[in-house]
């Protein structure tokens, strides 16, 4: 198969066929993860660099693990907050990166569009590992992978995404990815965190979590940034949990088959209760493993163009 | 002496729209007519003649809203470069805003800006002075003295006056000057960290949106204050239907309220904003399509009195940042008229008469400037406009020091080809001659 794209910036740019190619590739990658020796020579000599302006140990190590298993060299560019406060602009960073011997750059940034900004200015490939409130395509792909693994496919399935939808790149990318593959998505949250303009996604919006849980095949709780309370976006954690928390009683409405997902890290006792997070319905731990497989698939496709056989 | 022949003269102040000859002497309009008998013109010398067939002659445009960045930010623009940009765009009189560094809030600074304008010797540069000292929104400036030094309006443009009582006092106190208070309507709390208009487009780009009410709530407040005080209020860069409702109510009540609209708010919408092109980042932000359509109707029916560019230059490296981190503002002096012609006049959305009325006559009247018409006796500030001339908007052609325009790379049709100020030719488009 052929993979002509240089970058992965946003699910919106992908066709359903392209998403399927990534997910199918991830299936073989996951098989590698079960082998005793988890190391492939596929991308030997390639350099993958991490550029994380927001700290996220989980996502960064997932990408690093994925790249290493494929035989690529990884490095972390120490940008963090120090160079930002020194006033080094993203443009300066792009110039520096262009002069380094990097094949693929993994970027996380608090500003929406920062990965695309770099991709437009660099000859190397860029993967968006989360930008502002805009997109988190690898998270969406691994979530959909996890659902597909359980169900065989997501077409016709109903997935409820609940929480701070307004500020969530995970919700945006998941809604786009799932609807492209023929699933039904319902976004749920309080009106302050689920404004009407979110209907741009072409999915249903609802304030009533309990009603939407009925008939749901999967439910994804979004991480609640606790600071939002100070901005007045919700009155208290107590009321939030009462209306939108994923509790055992509530899960009973959806039935035993309903999958529970969370992009992590969880605020246990706020958007999700521990007994739900750790229940047999939860695929939250599997999501972590699947994250590595999906990221392997992406790194492989972007760096090899799909030309060489990945899994020998 | 200058004799312009066969021009399509549009001068709403005199009710003229048709082929005329215009005769200029001693820097002023001497005569305007269908054909001028030569024996009445010559005072001995031979007049310079120019055949203007196929071209329009407008009164020089009067731009009520310009940022020239001097003093303090001359790397973005200075009064000389901004004046060159102005006449290149057909603007012969402009009001420059006070949000420089330092803020124009003292007599010496007002006089400095006016003097720099005269030294540049191109467009007439009229300073607006701040409403409050340092634009801190707390204490009024010495408006009477600032007027004596040459201020012709008062504005904290760049930010809204958050304290309603200060705005009320400003509208009262400015009566001493007869000058309008120009309000940049923006409620800081409602605007929050917003970088574009709140709506589906901001949601899709994941960019923080500011609700329309951030503008219209303050516009409504200021219109009510103008009503209660009897003060003279001008609303800068209106961009929402909510603001239009307040404006209509104020006008219907007979209050002394006027408003301007910027070309970009009539042409572009939030749907046009690309995630990584901050040339589209402007304050107030690009409107929804519904707001844009309402603005155009309001301009055509006179609810909105005038056009103004809100020319807001920024250095390239300041704009070459992720959208949320780049400063607000677009350059516009050199593209305003061609963009309006291309996107509004040519498609028949705006008449050429209303264009000239809104971009020359009305701002001159509102701010009491000797400009905006070709009436005999007026200074010969004129624009010769070629409706067929096309050009791609190109960074290297700009007279402005900055090129942060969303029209970069687009072909616009209809450009000024000659501009005169006080009868002197101050700009000639090289390729068009
Ligand atoms: Zn303003």
């Amino acid at each position: 198969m052929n993979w002509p794209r240089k970058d992965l910036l946003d699910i919106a740019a992908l066709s359903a066929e392209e998403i399927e190619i990534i997910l199918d590739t991830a299936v073989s990658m996951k098989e590698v993860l079960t082998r005793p020796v988890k190391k492939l020579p596929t991308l030997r000599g390639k350099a993958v660099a991490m550029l994380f302006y927001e700290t996220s140990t989980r996502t960064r190590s997932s990408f690093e693990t994925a790249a290493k298993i494929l035989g690529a060299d990884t490095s972390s560019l120490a940008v963090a907050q120090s160079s930002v406060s020194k006033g080094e602009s993203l443009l300066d960073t792009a110039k520096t990166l262009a002069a380094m011997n990097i094949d693929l750059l993994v970027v996380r940034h608090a500003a929406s569009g920062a990965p695309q900004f770099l991709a437009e200015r660099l000859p190397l490939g860029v993967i968006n590992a989360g930008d502002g409130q805009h997109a988190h395509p690898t998270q969406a792909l691994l979530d959909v992978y996890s659902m597909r693994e359980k169900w065989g496919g997501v077409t016709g399935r109903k997935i409820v995404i609940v929480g701070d939808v307004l500020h969530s790149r995970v919700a945006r990318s998941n809604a786009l990815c799932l609807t492209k593959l023929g699933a039904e998505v319902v976004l749920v949250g309080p009106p302050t965190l689920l404004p009407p303009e979110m209907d741009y996604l072409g999915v249903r919006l609802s304030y009533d979590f309990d009603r939407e849980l009925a008939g749901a095949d999967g439910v994804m709780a979004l991480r609640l940034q606790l600071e939002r309370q100070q901005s007045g976006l919700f009155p208290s954690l107590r009321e939030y949990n009462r209306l939108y928390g994923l509790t055992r009683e509530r899960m009973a409405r959806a039935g035993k088959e309903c999958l529970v997902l969370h992009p992590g890290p969880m605020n246990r006792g706020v958007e999700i209760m521990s007994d739900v997070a750790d229940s047999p319905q939860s695929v939250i731990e599997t999501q972590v493993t699947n994250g590595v497989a999906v990221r392997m698939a992406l790194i492989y496709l972007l760096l090899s163009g799909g030309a060489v056989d990945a899994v020998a | 002496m200058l004799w312009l022949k066969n021009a399509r003269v549009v001068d709403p102040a005199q009710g003229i729209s048709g082929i005329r000859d215009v005769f200029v002497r001693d820097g002023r309009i001497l005569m305007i007519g269908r054909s001028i008998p030569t024996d009445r013109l010559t005072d001995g010398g031979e007049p310079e003649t120019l055949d203007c067939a196929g071209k329009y002659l407008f009164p020089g445009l009067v731009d009520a809203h310009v940022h020239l960045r001097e003093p303090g930010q001359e790397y973005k623009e200075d009064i000389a470069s901004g004046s060159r940009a102005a006449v290149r765009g057909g603007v012969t009189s402009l009001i420059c805003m006070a949000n420089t560094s330092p803020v124009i809030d003292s007599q010496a600074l007002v006089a400095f800006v006016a003097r720099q304008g005269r030294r540049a010797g191109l467009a007439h540069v009229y300073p607006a002075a701040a409403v409050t000292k340092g634009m801190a929104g707390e204490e009024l400036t010495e408006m009477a003295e600032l007027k004596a030094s040459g201020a012709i309006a008062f504005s904290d443009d760049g930010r809204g006056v958050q304290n309603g009582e200060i705005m009320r006092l400003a509208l009262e106190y400015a009566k001493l000057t007869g000058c309008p208070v120009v309000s940049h309507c923006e409620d800081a709390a409602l605007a929050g960290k917003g970088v574009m208009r709140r709506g589906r487009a901001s949601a899709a780009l994941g960019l923080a949106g500011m609700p329309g009410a951030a503008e219209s709530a303050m516009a409504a407040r200021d219109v009510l204050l103008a009503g209660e005080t009897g003060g003279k209020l001008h609303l800068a860069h209106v961009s929402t239907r909510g603001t239009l409702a307040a404006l209509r109510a104020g006008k219907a009540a007979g209050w002394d309220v006027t408003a301007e609209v910027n070309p970009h708010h009539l042409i572009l919408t939030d749907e046009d904003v690309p995630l990584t092109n901050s040339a589209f980042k402007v304050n107030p932000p690009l409107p929804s399509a519904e707001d844009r359509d309402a603005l155009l109707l309001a301009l055509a029916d006179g609810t909105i009195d005038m056009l103004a560019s809100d020319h807001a230059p920024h250095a390239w490296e300041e704009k070459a940042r992720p959208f949320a981190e780049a400063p607000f503002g677009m350059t516009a002096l050199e593209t305003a008229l061609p963009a309006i012609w291309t996107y509004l006049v040519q498609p028949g959305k705006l008449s050429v008469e209303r264009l000239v009325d809104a971009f020359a006559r009305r701002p001159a009247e509102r701010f009491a400037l000797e400009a905006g018409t070709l009436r005999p006796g007026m200074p010969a500030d004129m624009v010769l406009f070629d409706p067929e001339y096309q050009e791609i908007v190109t960074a290297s052609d700009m007279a402005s020091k900055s090129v942060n325009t969303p029209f970069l790379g687009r072909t616009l049709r209809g450009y000024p080809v000659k501009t005169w100020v006080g009868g002197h030719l101050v700009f000639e488009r090289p390729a068009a001659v």
Side-chain angles (χ1 to χ4, degrees), chain B residues 65 157-158 184 237:
Chain B
H65 198 134
D157 185 69
H184 166 121
H237 42 55

Side-chain angles (χ1 to χ4, degrees), chain A residues 10 89-91 95 109 111-114 116-117 120-121 131-134 166 172 191-192 195-200, chain B residues 193 198-209 274-278 316-325:
Chain A
D10 189 1
S89 71
L90 198 59
L91 187 69
K95 286 177 184 157
H109 200 286
S112 299
Q116 187 182 327
F117 178 96
E120 286 167 359
R121 287 164 177 78
D131 63 328
Q133 302 165 11
H134 174 237
L166 173 61
R172 282 172 174 80
T192 45
E197 61 264 24
M198 291 306 296
D199 71 358
Y200 85 89
Chain B
K193 294 193 167 76
R198 182 174 174 176
R200 288 197 181 97
S202 70
L205 297 175
L207 292 170
L275 184 55
T276 54
N277 187 349
S278 69
W316 178 81
E317 63 272 16
E318 293 174 305
K319 278 289 200 180
R321 289 178 186 162
F323 200 91
E325 297 172 6

Side-chain angles (χ1 to χ4, degrees), chain A residues 8-10 63 107-108 115 126-131 134-138:
Chain A
L8 177 76
L9 301 172
D10 189 1
F63 272 107
V107 185
R108 169 168 289 198
V126 174
I127 295 181
N128 179 2
D131 63 328
H134 174 237
H136 196 350
T138 62

